Every structure is written in structure tokens, then in C-alpha cells.
Amino acid sequence: MIDFLFSYETLRFIWWGLLGTLLVGFAVMDGFDMGVGALLPFVARTDIERRVAINTIGPVWEGNQVWFILGGGAIFAAWPALYALSFSGFYLAMFLVLFALILRPVGFKYRSKRASRTWRTRWDWALFVGGAVPALIFGVAVGNALQGVPFHLTPDLRPIYDGSFFGLLNPVALYCGLVSLAMLVMHGAAWLAFKADGTVGARARTIGPKAAIVSAVLFAGGGLLVWTGLLGGYRVTSPIVWDGPSNPLRKSVVADGGAWLANFQAHPVLWLVPALGILAPLSAAAGFRAGREGLTFLASKLAVAMIITTAGIAMFPFLLPSSTAPDHSLAAFDASSSRATLRTMLLAVGIFLPIILAYTAWVYRVLWGKVSEKSIEQAGHSAY
């Protein structure tokens, strides 16, 4: 059993699953933080209302962003070729995301340093950018991955990006960006309805159903793009060797319009994932209207997880296909670190991930309860 668990084939499959888990964890945990930032100008009109909205995420956003760091670390250690290509080819997009994310801690720390209305309004818009821009760009990145990214590998496996920043902003990628933005706005509204008392929570319950329905409709529309072959797809035509060396140049790949449906057709039970990706946001919309705050937030979490998981299942075993040199595409079976690296990292994850989960659960238990205007007034300057 131990030999099977630590075989190269099993380790590669486990780390593909762990990468997906970390990315889903980031979207679920930090996604509502970004959603609250994107909603800030619309759910809060006075300074005290904005402080209510900000204080629902102020104590937890840093811990939630740990999932982003873990995901980046997993890519760096387990899938170095993917890391090298993503952070070089997508450099400007990554810079834009990091710039927006940096605005969040600065906005949280500085907006209440002065009582000036102009000062605070500017930082509130910075928090809006810090929420809306990453939510959009992350979806654009997924859209480009689904279509294939223009790159090739040199004989010594050095990745060369053949595209441009503005080439990433194509219609299909922007469509996926809108799916991501609508999904996280829904998630942020669900969090505010669950956590914020008074006017802010009421406005979130008004906006939330609309965002949830838009999420379901856009996600279903993306499914039609896949079904009709307009989104493209890639298929490995050579034998797949899961325990072979990490060399993406040793396989044959062809573009195939129906390839992203192959895993679902081979394993029909997997159709439950995209089905839940549509049903969960519709359930969240119903929960908003029924005032079932806890169930609404759970449905929103499920929607986020299922929408992202659908993309991962569709692309498997690809990590990042190449549109200009399909044979150079990065796949889970030929773009990983060594067996020893994956094994050592898995042992570390087995120790530290449960600790992170336990600590996260404890933090949310301690911070249980709604944030109200009265609690902000009583906290005074200690609140954001």
C-alpha cells in the first residue's frame, strides 16, 4: 500500500488533485473577500456602512489569502514548468493582479487613519479595485488555459511565450472573466448577508440573487461553448506514461473541439459537477430571497467549488495546453517535479494542512456573529 501511495504515478495524480484543492480553497475562502471589495460601493453608501462591510472581512482576509500563497507554492514545487511559464508569459497579468491585491492591505490599514471623507472614499475605491480586478483576471487566466496559450519549449525545456498581454484579453477569456467576477460577487453578497447586520446585509440580499442568476446563466453559456466546440480542446494521441520522466516533448497532442467533454463522457458520474455548478448558484439565489443566510453561503461555496472543478476535470490531464505547439503542452504526467520532491512535499502537506484547517475553523468560531453599526461605533478607532 505504501509503495502504491508513493509511486510516481500516484504522486502525480495526488498533486494534480492537491493543486486543484488549493485553488478551489483560495476561491472559496478569499473569494468572498474579493466579492465584498467589488460590492463595497454598492452595498455601503455612508462611512459607517462601509466600515460594517469592511469589518466583516477585516479580521480574516489575511488568513484567507494564505490559500493563494499555498497554491503558488504548490505550483512552484510540484509543477515547476507551469510556474516558470505562468510567471513569465503572464508577467503583466500577474503584475496587475499583485498590484490590485496589494491595494487591499494598504486600504484596510490606511482608510481610517484620517477622518477626511475624500481620503476614505479614495481608499474605498482602492478596495473595490483590489476585489474586482483579481476576480476578473483570474477568470481570464482560466479562459486562456482552456483555449491554449501560445508558447513552445526549446530542446532544453526552456519555455518561450509567443503571445502578448493584450492577446490574453480575447473574447472567450473575457467571457470566462465575467463568469469569475459574477461568481465572486455572488459569494461576497452571500458573506455579507450572513455576516453584516442592518442596511448592508439588506442590500447584499438584494444584489445577491441577481449575481447568482448571472453566474448560473454565464456558466451554462460557457458549457454551450464547450459543447459546440467553439472553446476548443486538446487531446493526447500518444500513449500516456504516468511514471515516465518529466519531459513535455515526448508526447503527441492534437487540437480537438470536443476534447474537453471526453472525461465527462468516459465517466458519466462527473456530469454531476457541472450540474451542481448551475444548480448551486440557483439555490443560492433562492436562499437570498428566503432569508436562509447560512444555507445561502453554503450554496455559494458549493457553486464556486463546482464551477472551478468543472474546468479542472475538463482539462485533465493537461495543466496548460499550447495553442502554437500542441505537442509542447504541459500535462500532469510529464511536467512535475521528481518523485522524491513530490513524496517529501506530500508528507509535509499531511502534517501542516490539517493544522491550517483546524486553525482556520477556530478563527471563524471565535469571530462568529454579525457585524453591526452599533458594534463599529462601540469599537471606535480599533475597527477598520
Side-chain angles (χ1 to χ4, degrees), residues 95-107:
F95 184 84
L96 182 61
V97 168
L98 291 176
F99 173 77
L101 290 177
I102 288 171
L103 288 177
R104 289 201 300 176
V106 179

Side-chain angles (χ1 to χ4, degrees), residues 260-292:
W260 292 156
L261 297 173
N263 290 327
F264 298 101
Q265 292 168 344
H267 307 281
V269 69
L270 294 177
W271 285 110
L272 288 174
V273 177
L276 288 172
I278 297 174
L279 293 176
L282 295 178
S283 298
F288 277 114
R289 289 170 176 160
R292 304 293 298 273

Side-chain angles (χ1 to χ4, degrees), residues 27 87 89 91 106 199 251 269 283 317 338 350 367 378:
F87 282 81
Y91 180 79
V106 179
T199 305
K251 65 178 180 302
V269 69
S283 298
S338 67
L367 297 173
Q378 291 175 343

Side-chain angles (χ1 to χ4, degrees), residues 113-127:
K113 296 297 183 182
R114 294 174 58 184
S116 167
R117 179 178 179 181
T118 301
W119 171 270
R120 293 187 174 186
T121 299
R122 287 173 178 171
W123 285 117
D124 290 337
W125 280 107
L127 291 173

Side-chain angles (χ1 to χ4, degrees), residues 30 36 46 49 59 63 87 90 98 134 167 185 218 222-223 232 247 266 275-276 292 296 314 324 328 377 384:
D30 202 35
V36 170
T46 65
E49 290 175 356
F87 282 81
F90 297 166
L98 291 176
V185 166
L218 289 178
N247 186 344
L276 288 172
R292 304 293 298 273
T296 300
T324 53
H328 296 195
E377 292 169 349
Y384 288 94

Side-chain angles (χ1 to χ4, degrees), residues 336-352:
S336 73
S337 293
S338 67
R339 177 173 176 266
T341 299
L342 298 182
R343 180 181 57 200
T344 302
M345 289 170 50
L346 183 61
L347 293 173
V349 168
I351 295 171
F352 291 106

Side-chain angles (χ1 to χ4, degrees), residues 141-160:
V142 173
N144 279 284
L146 287 167
Q147 295 177 91
V149 174
F151 73 89
H152 70 275
L153 302 174
T154 62
D156 59 354
L157 301 183
R158 184 166 59 92
I160 304 296

